[in-house]
Amino acid sequence: MTCEWVEEQLSAYHDGMLDAATTEQVRAHLATCERCSAVLADYARFDHVLAHLPRYTPAPELRDRIFSSPAFREIVRGSPDAASPSAPAAPQAPVSSARLLPHAARVWLTVLALIIVVSGGTIALQGIMAARNTGPVYAACPQALSAGPRLVYRVENHLFSNSDKLICEARTQAGALWQVSPDGQWIAYTDATTNTLRLVRSDAMGDHEVDSSASAIVALSWSPDSQNLLIVKRGGLGGNSLPVYHLGVRDRSPTLIAEGVAAQLEDGPVFSPDGQSVAVAFGTPDGRNHSIMVLGTRASYLQNTATTARENTGLLSANAVISDLAWTAGVDPRLTWRAGEIDAIARSAISTQGTEQSNATVLAKGAFTAAAFSPAGGKWAIATADGTIIQVDAATQQQTPLAHLGSVTSLAWSPDGRRIAAASNGTLWLVSATGATKAGAIDAGSNPTWSSDSARLAFESAGVAQVYDLDTGKAHAAQAASVGSITGMAWSLENSRLAIWGSQGIVLDDATGTTLVTLSSPPAEPPQWSRV
Amino acid sequence: MAMAELESTWSFERIYDEFKTPIYNYIYHLVGNREQADDLTQDTFLKAFKALPKMDASLKLSAWLYRIATNTAYDALRRRKLISWLPWQELDHEPADLESADPQETIETTELVRQALGHMPQTYRAALLLYTQQGFSYAEIAQTLGIAESGVKMYLSRARQSFREHYRAAETGKPRPTRGVSR
């Protein structure tokens, strides 16, 4: 008899599951074999350890999540009316505040289940199906909205386009998640009344449902070509799922690129410039783990391979939240991001890496007062605590000091990656490789906003919007009507209009000081430009 | 109808109340991640509630619930392999009952168990947890995992060998946990 053979029997021997003859053989071997006896002793010890592991009580919220979920309500609607008032009452549950007694509980609950099941009737599915088929019909707007640049914004759960209603169905309750496609042609929005994610054309036509569980959606992202819409959605397989909807191919079902990602969305999702990949940052709620996933947008999760980029956490505190996820432009896009404590950037770090799985490269770390990335230039701009603006190349890691301005509170790259608008001590500066130029005097929140052609820079000064023209080197007032305290600005896609919004409303200007439209309600979220 | 809904809700809630802790702990030890255990526990109960009215009267509720929990967790683990990035996570829930006299020792042992469970094959992990934690018999494990009783003998043998190997490795190779414990 060998030790190997005995070891194969030891588990069943320990459980008393061997026949008498084998039991006797094993016992005889154990009497003389220290090694096998030690294994048996371990088995006993580990059984005890496993049986006495701390038991964790699920959070009370879990109960609410289950019993207030739409899925549960549907189950109750469809369950047999077995448990009618005439059904026998279920016995009182045994009190089990101390350790559970699994066997006793099991026996009792089997009885309970039998009571529920045996007295069951037919399942009333018809009611559920009928409810599904009576959703609201979306009233088309009487006519398509007129052509031109149109500002989309939400006020009191209604989506507007300029001052026209974008959604003409009266019961629609547009939620905070909505997004205009990069080409300005489509608006994805959520409707709380029907719990659907919907698409509507920028001229208010063609409204249709895309996804039927809008309340689970936590983020929306358009691909750069406006042909794909990625959503991040809670639920299903114990985590987030990431379906991609394809606009270009009619009736094509979405591609599920990830499922079961059990963590909270931290930043992104951000499509790569070629639309082939998407980067998304997740963090565990305890703040101990932060990861970035890179997923192919064409492959379903069954074939997809996630690439993870993990911070070198030795450099960072536990609260090293990931933000500013971005891709560099060009044929070999690199992913770059910022990792640091929000509101305490002394421990910030900025890293970049390719899409291969590897540890991140730390580009810069230290006490930054502001940082911004330029996809076009592939460079970060960083303002250090002593007021120096440093340019860091994400590919070569080369650092170049550009200017010393004193305390810098914000940085904004021009879209062409050639200049940085830097706010410092009441002045907005334009910083480039050749030095710094004054653009104008500013208040604390200057909201510097570049036109997409990098030719003009809008900013707030003395409570009104100004536009600095790089050709003339001069700034002029660009806002005739007041919006109260300015909270944001946005150029239309072709830069012919400037939207300025604040605590008292929105104005659309032609950027020369002529107000075209005044709206007296403040927007719920930053407005976005569409194009008809 | 409203009364019937109320009654069946009450019954489902009773099942949840009785099984939430063992099912949650079982799933947690299978997947090793608290957030995921929350979600998978929810999925398990919703799947069970949905299927329960259609089940035969001879249903063994406990084994059946664990079977759903096992399959739900396996499904998640299979996907995690495809999208594998989350580390095996520590729990920071307050334990429902801690019996050990020495909290530090309990935490250290728990950490070793967690590591050993995390490294062993999931099929064996389920069998070991059902036997040691849930007090299942060989027959009940067979029913839950959908295998023959003779298979259970083999599963448990492999499970104990694997657990022992990984626990020993963790015990000798692992630095002591740094997590503070108030005494």
Side-chain angles (χ1 to χ4, degrees):
Chain A
M1 192 189 311
T2 63
C3 285
E4 284 71 30
W5 181 84
V6 172
E7 270 193 40
E8 288 296 319
Q9 313 303 320
L10 275 181
S11 169
Y13 174 84
H14 174 64
D15 296 338
M17 296 299 285
L18 292 177
D19 59 55
T22 315
T23 301
E24 201 41 55
Q25 281 179 295
V26 172
R27 186 175 292 145
H29 177 85
L30 287 169
T32 58
C33 179
E34 274 185 27
R35 182 167 159 260
C36 288
S37 297
V39 173
L40 183 64
D42 270 356
Y43 286 178
R45 176 163 73 100
F46 294 144
D47 270 19
H48 180 82
V49 164
L50 284 164
H52 291 85
L53 278 179
R55 280 179 185 261
Y56 301 94
T57 308
E61 297 80 50
L62 184 60
R63 162 185 260 277
D64 298 337
R65 260 169 60 189
I66 293 174
F67 292 103
S68 60
S69 67
F72 181 75
R73 285 201 294 274
E74 223 169 79
I75 291 166
V76 173
R77 273 210 301 274
S79 70
D81 38 15
S84 64
S86 60
Q92 199 62 40
V95 177
S96 55
S97 58
R99 279 193 71 77
L100 282 165
L101 301 170
H103 188 67
R106 286 203 311 277
V107 169
W108 179 81
L109 272 145
T110 305
V111 173
L112 171 64
L114 288 175
I115 291 167
I116 296 166
V117 175
V118 168
S119 52
T122 54
I123 299 167
L125 278 176
Q126 295 88 342
I128 297 169
M129 298 311 290
R132 280 186 184 146
N133 291 334
T134 54
V137 176
Y138 272 63
C141 292
Q143 59 189 38
L145 299 176
S146 58
R150 305 191 67 97
L151 188 74
V152 179
Y153 58 94
R154 190 171 71 105
V155 172
E156 291 170 357
N157 299 323
H158 295 295
L159 272 179
F160 294 89
S161 174
N162 284 8
S163 46
D164 299 310
K165 269 200 165 181
L166 181 66
I167 315 296
C168 292
E169 164 58 45
R171 285 175 290 177
T172 302
Q173 296 281 304
L177 271 178
W178 57 275
Q179 192 78 42
V180 179
S181 62
D183 64 4
Q185 299 292 308
W186 287 97
I187 296 100
Y189 73 98
T190 52
D191 174 19
T193 312
T194 53
N195 192 27
T196 52
L197 172 70
R198 309 184 67 85
L199 280 179
V200 63
R201 275 204 331 250
S202 55
D203 63 359
M205 298 288 115
D207 191 311
H208 65 278
E209 177 182 325
V210 176
D211 190 280
S212 60
S213 53
S215 59
I217 298 173
V218 293
L220 297 171
S221 181
W222 284 95
S223 62
D225 64 2
S226 301
Q227 293 301 298
N228 299 292
L229 176 67
L230 168 67
I231 67 175
V232 181
K233 199 171 167 183
R234 287 274 313 158
L237 294 173
N240 295 289
S241 61
L242 282 74
V244 175
Y245 289 92
H246 310 279
L247 272 72
V249 192
R250 205 166 178 79
D251 299 329
R252 185 174 155 195
S253 47
T255 304
L256 199 54
I257 62 169
E259 194 170 22
V261 183
Q264 289 179 346
L265 182 68
E266 204 162 274
D267 198 30
V270 187
F271 274 90
S272 61
D274 58 10
Q276 299 283 339
S277 307
V278 69
V280 56
F282 286 101
T284 50
D286 61 8
R288 290 183 190 174
N289 294 294
H290 305 272
S291 287
I292 299 167
M293 292 173 76
V294 179
L295 295 153
T297 55
R298 309 289 161 98
S300 83
Y301 72 97
L302 288 172
Q303 292 93 43
N304 218 341
T305 308
T307 301
T308 65
R310 193 171 295 284
E311 267 300 328
N312 179 353
T313 49
L315 293 165
L316 304 162
S317 76
N319 299 321
V321 177
I322 292 162
S323 64
D324 297 21
L325 259 181
W327 294 87
T328 58
V331 288
D332 179 23
R334 283 169 170 265
L335 186 64
T336 185
W337 66 91
R338 181 171 172 175
E341 296 170 343
I342 289 170
D343 297 324
I345 53 175
R347 292 172 67 89
S348 294
I350 295 169
S351 313
T352 188
Q353 65 135 45
T355 52
E356 74 281 3
Q357 182 156 8
S358 66
N359 284 327
T361 304
V362 176
L363 289 175
K365 60 191 173 89
F368 309 140
T369 59
F373 181 69
S374 161
K379 295 177 178 72
W380 282 89
I382 295 162
T384 62
D386 70 352
T388 306
I389 296 175
I390 299 169
Q391 173 183 289
V392 186
D393 191 302
T396 64
Q397 304 179 42
Q398 189 183 357
Q399 298 195 2
T400 314
L402 295 179
H404 184 82
L405 297 175
S407 177
V408 175
T409 50
S410 80
L411 293 167
W413 281 96
S414 60
D416 63 7
R418 294 175 59 201
R419 291 182 179 80
I420 308 155
S424 169
N425 294 329
T427 303
L428 190 65
W429 296 84
L430 288 178
V431 180
S432 68
T434 55
T437 312
K438 270 189 189 178
I442 50 168
D443 305 324
S446 58
N447 295 303
T449 307
W450 287 94
S451 61
S452 62
D453 57 5
S454 302
R456 287 180 290 178
L457 174 68
F459 61 96
E460 181 189 350
S461 178
V464 294
Q466 303 271 322
V467 171
Y468 180 86
D469 191 316
L470 269 73
D471 284 341
T472 63
K474 288 180 181 166
H476 59 81
Q479 178 194 356
S482 171
V483 294
S485 172
I486 295 177
T487 51
M489 287 180 261
W491 291 91
S492 62
L493 298 177
E494 63 296 305
N495 302 312
S496 63
R497 303 277 186 278
L498 179 65
I500 303 144
W501 59 89
S503 55
Q504 292 169 15
I506 309 169
V507 294
L508 305 185
D509 279 44
D510 69 355
T512 64
T514 308
T515 295
L516 305 169
V517 181
T518 305
L519 309 156
S520 57
S521 301
E525 300 87 26
Q528 299 172 32
W529 282 98
S530 71
R531 177 165 47 195
V532 175
Chain B
M1 192 61 198
M3 181 60 81
E5 283 182 13
L6 192 70
E7 286 288 323
S8 63
T9 304
W10 179 85
S11 303
F12 286 138
E13 291 196 11
R14 183 60 60 86
I15 291 174
Y16 175 76
D17 286 342
E18 278 310 304
F19 280 97
K20 67 179 180 198
T21 303
I23 289 282
Y24 177 83
N25 281 274
Y26 174 63
I27 291 175
Y28 166 63
H29 286 116
L30 277 179
V31 301
N33 178 283
R34 191 191 75 201
E35 283 295 303
Q36 201 167 19
D38 278 344
D39 289 343
L40 297 177
T41 303
Q42 175 176 348
D43 288 356
T44 297
F45 278 106
L46 285 173
K47 281 179 193 169
F49 294 161
K50 190 171 182 184
L52 191 57
K54 297 172 221 159
M55 298 310 292
D56 191 73
S58 61
L59 175 75
K60 295 274 189 295
L61 181 66
S62 178
W64 180 71
L65 269 180
Y66 279 95
R67 185 167 189 161
I68 295 172
T70 309
N71 290 337
T72 305
Y74 280 5
D75 233 13
L77 288 168
R78 187 170 63 83
R79 279 161 181 77
R80 192 198 286 176
K81 271 185 194 161
L82 297 163
I83 304 168
S84 176
W85 66 287
L86 262 184
W88 193 258
Q89 184 204 12
E90 243 188 270
L91 260 189
D92 52 9
H93 269 201
E94 284 305 312
D97 57 315
L98 257 178
E99 292 180 341
S100 169
D102 183 349
Q104 181 65 49
E105 188 188 323
T106 301
I107 284 169
E108 288 175 6
T109 305
T110 304
E111 171 63 20
L112 293 171
V113 169
R114 206 171 55 79
Q115 286 194 29
L117 285 175
H119 285 108
M120 67 189 291
Q122 65 184 40
T123 327
Y124 301 152
R125 194 188 308 159
L128 188 63
L129 290 171
L130 288 171
Y131 188 82
T132 58
Q133 285 211 316
Q134 313 303 333
F136 273 34
S137 67
Y138 275 37
E140 287 170 317
I141 296 172
Q143 199 177 4
T144 303
L145 299 182
I147 55 174
E149 267 193 65
S150 56
V152 176
K153 196 187 282 186
M154 187 273 281
Y155 270 40
L156 278 174
S157 178
R158 297 271 187 282
R160 285 186 168 120
Q161 287 173 18
S162 178
F163 181 87
R164 179 173 182 265
E165 179 191 326
H166 292 296
Y167 188 95
R168 289 277 194 202
E171 208 170 25
T172 51
K174 184 188 164 294
R176 307 300 265 178
T178 52
R179 189 170 134 181
V181 174
S182 57
R183 283 167 186 260

